[in-house]
Amino acid sequence: MERDNSKQTGWLDTAVAGIRFGPDRKAVRAELQAHLEDKAADFRRIFPDIAPEEAEARAVEEMGDAVEIGKELARLHKPWLGYLWRASKWIAILSVVLLMAINILNNDHYQSAGYPLWGGFSEVRGRTEGEKIQLGGYTFQIVGAAYLDYVQDWRGIEDRVQVYIRVSTPRFWERINEGALRSALTMTGPEGWVWSMDSGKVQTIWEEGRNELICGLQRAEWGLFHDTYVAYGDLEWTEGEPVCLEFDFGKGSFTLTVDQLERVVME
Amino acid sequence: MREKLRTRWEQSKWKARIDRLPRLWRLSRGKTLALNLLIIAVAGAWLWGLAGYPLPTAELEFRRLERQCLVPRSELVFAATAPERYEYVASPNDKTVTALDGTEISMNNWQFVGVTERLAVVAEVAQRGLGGYGTGLEHYVRDGTPLLLPLGGDQWSPLRGYWVTEEQKPGEVNYTYHGMTPLVLLDVPEEARRAEVSLELHTWEELLPYEAVCWDMGGGVWLVGAFREDEARPDRFAGGTYTLRLYDGAGALLLEREGAVPQPL
């Protein structure tokens, strides 16, 4: 019995020797062993008088040349795919655990380089879909325009225009530089009104102890592939008059115009 | 131990539940591999974002900043990217550049200057992960004549730089720290061998005079370090003025110019 088992064992070892990836070798060996046992059982059923050792030996002979089978199995079972599968399993688990740990420890979600992957500071007013201009891999579009009309004698707050510009790019790792956008952008309005977004003008709301931006540029909202900025201008606007945003980058210049602004009465 | 754990897993309720799962949920090895790679790509991109999307080299960071600021790709003519070697003086953010005479000059963050046909680009890039800040880029008109520009990416926050001199004494070495505010001089004629620069810059609400030391970096680029004996530092470059004199090897005056410190576009 020991000799025949060793014959079976020897045949199996030879047949799977070329399979270098451990789990595959183990699985194939188990399957071949099952085939050998089935064949031996068939022989014992067909020849009831046959000795068990002989049945197993004939089963081994029936399976064929172990060396040839081993070469074919080695050709079919590439080790690199197995190692890649195993490595990918552990790297995927590690990455997910690391992300979960960071989010739990930070007690915040979607944190990225100091601010969330998406969010907003203010709501976009006067939603619209303006013309799109592409430059340097970025798409510029006016997505909102509003005229904030404060009741004249109400706290002395200046009326102002808000124009929302969305800058999109599929390259989420290189969003537009806010400083460069400020330097490049100028708002123009009726009667020669001009303001360069490189600087800001604020109005102090004494009753509330805060400053409010009335000329300048601020981030309004953002997502993974876009940033939306709001450009403020303290110009007197009447219906039908266009407001223009002039962009002057090193790579080129263009102008976006908005004709219709939503009049928002601030009460 | 492994066999024990394996046996316990084979006999566990969880394995029995997994084995009863519909076949749909039990993917082939190839599909599992594809799904794992997708998870790794998404998680990897997320982790990269958490770290601030760092790039492997300083120059790649500069090129990205050029694209983000929508300036044309420039030819790099100056880069201070080498690590600072004076451990008692430097912070991890300090980077060094070496002049042709061997002087090592250091500044905070990576500093770059590039040129195109019509523009000069000056950029400062903070190295992520070291607590650095102050990434910015400014570009100026370039006309091919000598151009004096502030280093650092922000005219309103003058950069601080320094160089260290060593004095060998028996049994010891004395290091002397010299602070300065760095500027770069571009398009200097090849025949220039000496440069003299003096400036008047806004400091404590006054316009104060500054001396300067000039180092030839090669390729028509000179580094200028503005300083005062009282170690005062300028508040900003806007509104500042300068006088530039260039001399050839024989000491003859090649060029003399006075003007305002250029404003970025």
Side-chain angles (χ1 to χ4, degrees):
Chain A
M1 180 68 101
E2 276 186 18
R3 213 175 75 178
D4 287 332
N5 271 345
S6 75
K7 209 173 173 185
Q8 215 181 55
T9 306
W11 189 93
L12 286 169
D13 286 344
T14 306
V16 301
I19 302 174
R20 281 181 280 159
F21 185 56
D24 282 356
R25 190 169 55 244
K26 214 171 146 188
V28 168
R29 187 193 170 91
E31 194 161 334
L32 289 173
Q33 185 158 8
H35 280 309
L36 274 170
E37 286 166 3
D38 287 345
K39 279 195 182 298
D42 285 344
F43 275 115
R44 285 199 297 277
R45 196 182 65 248
I46 295 167
F47 304 106
D49 297 332
I50 196 172
E53 301 85 357
E54 193 181 338
E56 282 159 10
R58 288 180 76 173
V60 168
E61 275 176 34
E62 283 270 307
M63 289 291 283
D65 184 356
V67 171
E68 288 303 317
I69 289 172
K71 282 181 189 169
E72 194 58 24
L73 287 172
R75 192 182 65 80
L76 289 170
H77 291 88
K78 296 279 183 281
W80 65 267
L81 193 60
Y83 290 130
L84 185 62
W85 166 76
R86 183 178 262 180
S88 71
K89 183 174 76 167
W90 289 110
I91 294 172
I93 290 168
L94 199 67
S95 306
V96 170
V97 166
L98 191 61
L99 261 180
M100 284 171 61
I102 289 170
N103 278 318
I104 289 166
L105 286 171
N106 279 340
N107 198 28
D108 198 349
H109 298 291
Y110 321 121
Q111 196 76 328
S112 171
Y115 58 87
L117 287 176
W118 56 85
F121 293 127
S122 61
E123 182 196 341
V124 173
R125 290 195 171 107
R127 284 204 181 260
T128 182
E129 278 201 22
E131 178 195 1
K132 288 184 184 178
I133 300 276
Q134 293 195 334
L135 181 68
Y138 297 92
T139 303
F140 299 80
Q141 182 187 27
I142 290 178
V143 295
Y147 179 66
L148 304 189
D149 187 0
Y150 288 87
V151 171
Q152 283 305 309
D153 58 356
W154 187 60
R155 295 184 294 173
I157 298 178
E158 304 268 353
D159 295 345
R160 73 198 76 142
V161 160
Q162 289 180 338
V163 181
Y164 295 82
I165 319 117
R166 171 162 295 182
V167 185
S168 323
T169 177
R171 305 186 315 265
F172 56 88
W173 60 91
E174 45 187 67
R175 303 146 84 93
I176 195 164
N177 182 278
E178 189 171 330
L181 184 62
R182 274 180 212 284
S183 298
L185 178 55
T186 304
M187 181 188 276
T188 62
E191 296 176 11
W193 187 95
V194 177
W195 187 270
S196 168
M197 294 298 156
D198 212 0
S199 53
K201 192 198 291 187
V202 298
Q203 184 179 29
T204 303
I205 316 290
W206 296 107
E207 296 88 345
E208 295 174 24
R210 62 181 179 89
N211 291 328
E212 209 160 272
L213 188 67
I214 55 172
C215 287
L217 191 74
Q218 260 183 351
R219 184 195 291 260
E221 59 176 32
W222 63 93
L224 192 56
F225 300 105
H226 75 269
D227 290 287
T228 301
Y229 292 89
V230 51
Y232 294 89
D234 63 343
L235 57 123
E236 289 293 328
W237 175 81
T238 51
E239 197 103 18
E241 287 174 332
V243 173
C244 296
L245 296 182
E246 297 174 2
F247 297 83
D248 184 16
F249 294 104
K251 272 188 178 169
S253 308
F254 58 91
T255 302
L256 293 174
T257 304
V258 58
D259 297 314
Q260 291 299 322
L261 281 76
E262 178 183 317
R263 185 180 289 268
V264 179
V265 177
M266 306 296 284
E267 293 175 351
Chain B
M1 181 70 180
R2 274 174 85 177
E3 283 307 314
K4 256 192 187 173
L5 288 170
R6 191 167 285 140
T7 310
R8 280 180 74 177
W9 166 249
E10 297 288 338
Q11 293 168 352
S12 74
K13 285 184 292 188
W14 286 106
K15 186 171 186 308
R17 281 180 189 152
I18 288 167
D19 288 342
R20 283 199 297 269
L21 282 173
R23 203 154 174 82
L24 182 66
W25 292 96
R26 299 178 66 189
L27 300 172
S28 67
R29 181 178 292 178
K31 287 181 182 167
T32 310
L33 175 61
L35 182 63
N36 289 344
L37 292 175
L38 182 64
I39 291 169
I40 290 167
V42 171
W46 201 322
L47 287 165
W48 185 41
L50 287 172
Y53 306 109
L55 294 176
T57 68
E59 187 171 340
L60 283 175
E61 293 272 5
F62 168 62
R63 293 300 178 197
R64 174 165 63 182
L65 188 59
E66 280 186 318
R67 290 191 296 272
Q68 289 175 300
C69 295
L70 287 117
V71 294
R73 185 181 170 95
S74 62
E75 178 195 343
L76 206 52
V77 296
F78 175 87
T81 57
E84 170 58 64
R85 65 181 176 95
Y86 291 102
E87 60 179 291
Y88 301 113
V89 176
S91 80
N93 295 322
D94 288 354
K95 306 300 173 200
T96 299
V97 65
T98 306
L100 290 182
D101 68 0
T103 308
E104 291 180 2
I105 306 112
S106 300
M107 283 153 277
N108 190 237
N109 291 333
W110 290 316
Q111 303 294 329
F112 300 94
V113 178
V115 295
T116 68
E117 198 181 321
R118 295 179 301 109
L119 296 176
V121 174
V122 178
E124 175 176 358
V125 181
Q127 188 175 2
R128 295 168 211 267
L130 293 181
Y133 63 93
T135 292
L137 182 149
E138 286 178 336
H139 57 291
Y140 303 81
V141 171
R142 175 184 179 230
D143 59 7
T145 61
L147 182 62
L148 184 67
L149 300 175
L151 270 182
D154 186 353
Q155 274 235 339
W156 297 93
S157 298
L159 188 63
R160 190 68 182 146
Y162 59 91
W163 77 100
V164 177
T165 51
E166 298 177 20
E167 191 186 339
Q168 300 279 347
K169 285 187 173 172
E172 63 181 16
V173 181
N174 280 348
Y175 297 102
T176 306
Y177 169 97
H178 308 273
M180 52 86 175
T181 301
L183 301 94
V184 68
L185 187 57
L186 300 178
D187 295 322
V188 175
E190 277 181 19
E191 52 273 21
R193 290 291 175 271
R194 188 165 62 93
E196 285 179 3
V197 176
S198 58
L199 302 103
E200 281 197 343
L201 300 171
H202 283 276
T203 311
W204 304 327
E205 303 306 317
E206 294 179 63
L207 260 178
L208 295 182
Y210 282 75
E211 298 173 72
V213 60
C214 303
W215 296 277
D216 188 356
M217 310 304 293
V221 178
W222 289 62
L223 189 59
V224 175
F227 67 94
R228 283 176 55 86
E229 290 298 329
D230 61 5
E231 298 184 359
R233 295 163 59 177
D235 307 317
R236 60 189 185 276
F237 287 103
T241 58
Y242 72 92
T243 303
L244 166 67
R245 291 186 188 86
L246 296 173
Y247 300 88
D248 65 11
L253 181 68
L254 282 172
L255 177 143
E256 182 169 0
R257 170 185 287 180
E258 290 181 3
V261 174
Q263 293 297 294
L265 293 171

